[in-house]
Amino acid sequence: MTSSAFPPVHPLQPYGWDDAWAGEFAPYAAEGLLAGRVVRVDRGQCDVVTADGVLRADTAFVTPHDPMRVVCTGDWVAVEPGGNPRYVRTYLPRRTAFVRSTSSKRSEGQILAANVDHAVVAVSLALELELGRIERFLALAWESGAQPVVVLTKADLVPDPVTLGHLVQDVETTAPGVAVIPVSATTGDGLDVLAAVLSGGTTVLLGQSGAGKSTLANALIGEDVMDVQAARDVDGKGRHTTTTRNLLALPGGGVLIDTPGLRGVGLWDAESGVGQVFSEIEELAADCRFHDCAHVAEPGCAVLDAVDSGALPERRLDSYRKLLRENQRIVAKTDARLRAEIRRDWKRRGAEGKAAMEAKRGR
């Protein structure tokens, strides 16, 4: 005898379906369309998991020429129930979106994954830590609306617990407010902790080629679903094992989006994300004498005072300036008003600097 005390589980619940998504989809359900989540996109088509199974659909109905509005892995979509070819009619409004700038000269944004709760930045301990690159990934992660997590992969290559502890501490200093978890897919150390953090939500896995993302994905899923290639001994870098973004259900709950290794990680309108990564600098800046202090040579600069006292590493300030400048350039390319403001600001600062030099010379 079957009990009716518990309502039936929706077939898409393991992929993140909830009452809010059902409400968003209601108008499309009334049209007879199917709800589904995109698990893979390639060449204008996508695989969509629905209550009827995984369907192949064409994305031509959704704006194809704007890289920010194309269908991407993680989207919830409305799919035609039949037809050859079958089409995606639209995607539901995204809760979060992980976006980077493209490498093209047109300064476009490229969406990598949608509706993500956690952004795991995978960093290999087979190489020396690049703290600046971690900060860059974290800025994009915070800007997306997801909660970042830094995973130090290949922890078995650092057998000394004291050395490993120092490496974790270095990254924690670089990533305020972010969990830093050392893991080894070889020994299994740390995997249970990571799985617990990621359960119940959608996670995007990010990092350079050779960071061990596909190996980590296989370990979390419990089977070899992703191809793995060995990293080169000379520099620890791997080839692009994953060439598309794939959404996979985790056995302990939640879903995982594995991404190709990212050689370039350009910021895309990520000012608030940069501020989150360097929250200690933003807090110090509130005590600067001038509200528009650039933290370069201004008198009464609380940030420079912190560098001089050793409370703030100079490397952190240099990285903060670099990412802010880069983000400003990207935004200015698509915002004529901001370009004019930047030019006026440069002229004003130049005039102030000239006046200061003349005052020093007693003119």
Side-chain angles (χ1 to χ4, degrees):
M1 181 175 177
T2 303
S3 171
S4 59
F6 299 100
V9 175
H10 193 284
L12 291 176
Q13 187 172 318
Y15 291 90
W17 185 259
D18 57 27
D19 290 343
W21 286 123
E24 290 275 7
F25 190 78
Y28 304 107
E31 295 179 27
L33 298 176
L34 294 176
R37 194 166 195 190
V38 178
V39 297
R40 177 187 172 98
V41 178
D42 60 273
R43 298 185 180 135
Q45 293 190 315
C46 62
D47 294 334
V48 183
V49 61
T50 72
D52 295 339
V54 178
L55 308 176
R56 187 74 168 166
D58 196 295
T59 63
F61 272 136
V62 184
T63 310
H65 303 300
D66 183 347
M68 293 286 284
R69 297 181 63 190
V70 298
V71 171
C72 76
T73 304
D75 272 327
W76 286 100
V77 295
V79 187
E80 293 176 344
N84 187 20
R86 188 193 306 265
Y87 287 97
V88 171
R89 287 288 187 86
T90 189
Y91 59 82
L92 301 184
R94 292 161 176 159
R95 293 178 182 174
T96 62
F98 190 92
V99 181
R100 68 165 177 174
S101 66
T102 64
S103 56
S104 71
K105 295 182 179 179
R106 291 180 294 177
S107 300
E108 297 173 326
Q110 178 191 23
I111 183 165
L112 298 180
N115 304 310
V116 171
D117 300 296
H118 296 97
V120 167
V121 179
V123 181
S124 172
L125 289 177
L127 297 171
E128 185 176 349
L129 291 176
E130 291 185 55
L131 299 179
R133 181 172 291 273
I134 295 173
E135 289 162 344
R136 177 180 293 273
F137 270 111
L138 290 174
L140 290 172
W142 280 120
E143 191 67 34
S144 75
Q147 170 66 46
V149 179
V150 177
V151 173
L152 303 180
T153 65
K154 308 180 184 181
D156 53 289
L157 298 181
V158 188
D160 177 30
V162 175
T163 302
L164 181 60
H166 287 317
L167 292 171
V168 170
Q169 189 174 30
D170 286 345
V171 178
E172 286 176 339
T173 302
T174 299
V178 175
V180 179
I181 306 172
V183 303
S184 169
T186 301
T187 65
D189 289 346
L191 287 175
D192 55 342
V193 176
L194 179 60
V197 170
L198 305 184
S199 64
T202 297
T203 299
V204 63
L205 194 52
L206 307 161
Q208 289 181 281
S209 296
K213 297 188 308 302
S214 294
T215 301
L216 181 60
N218 287 337
L220 288 169
I221 293 165
E223 56 182 297
D224 292 341
V225 295
M226 306 301 298
D227 291 333
V228 177
Q229 294 176 345
R232 297 193 298 256
D233 290 337
V234 64
D235 56 10
K237 294 181 180 178
R239 289 168 286 178
H240 288 295
T241 303
T242 306
T243 57
T244 58
R245 285 166 279 281
N246 303 275
L247 186 147
L248 308 159
L250 295 172
V255 293
L256 182 70
I257 300 175
D258 191 19
T259 64
L262 302 175
R263 289 194 180 95
V265 193
L267 299 186
W268 178 258
D269 197 6
E271 183 176 355
S272 65
V274 173
Q276 191 87 28
V277 176
F278 299 93
S279 56
E280 80 277 32
I281 296 179
E282 302 256 308
E283 291 172 5
L284 287 167
D287 294 327
C288 290
R289 181 182 302 176
F290 304 109
H291 71 88
D292 60 347
C293 184
H295 321 307
V296 176
E298 296 86 345
C301 175
V303 175
L304 292 179
D305 287 345
V307 172
D308 290 341
S309 70
L312 175 68
E314 189 170 3
R315 187 207 66 79
R316 285 280 285 172
L317 179 57
D318 289 342
S319 184
Y320 175 68
R321 289 171 177 155
K322 178 182 178 181
L323 292 181
L324 279 184
R325 285 195 302 267
E326 177 184 328
N327 190 70
Q328 193 175 50
R329 285 196 300 270
I330 287 292
V331 175
K333 285 182 180 180
T334 57
D335 189 333
R337 178 186 58 79
L338 181 60
R339 286 198 299 271
E341 288 180 359
I342 290 172
R343 282 195 295 269
R344 285 195 296 271
D345 188 55
W346 285 345
K347 289 180 181 179
R348 178 181 63 79
R349 290 186 185 278
E352 289 175 352
K354 184 178 179 181
M357 289 298 293
E358 289 178 348
K360 280 186 177 182
R361 292 170 183 166
R363 294 183 182 178

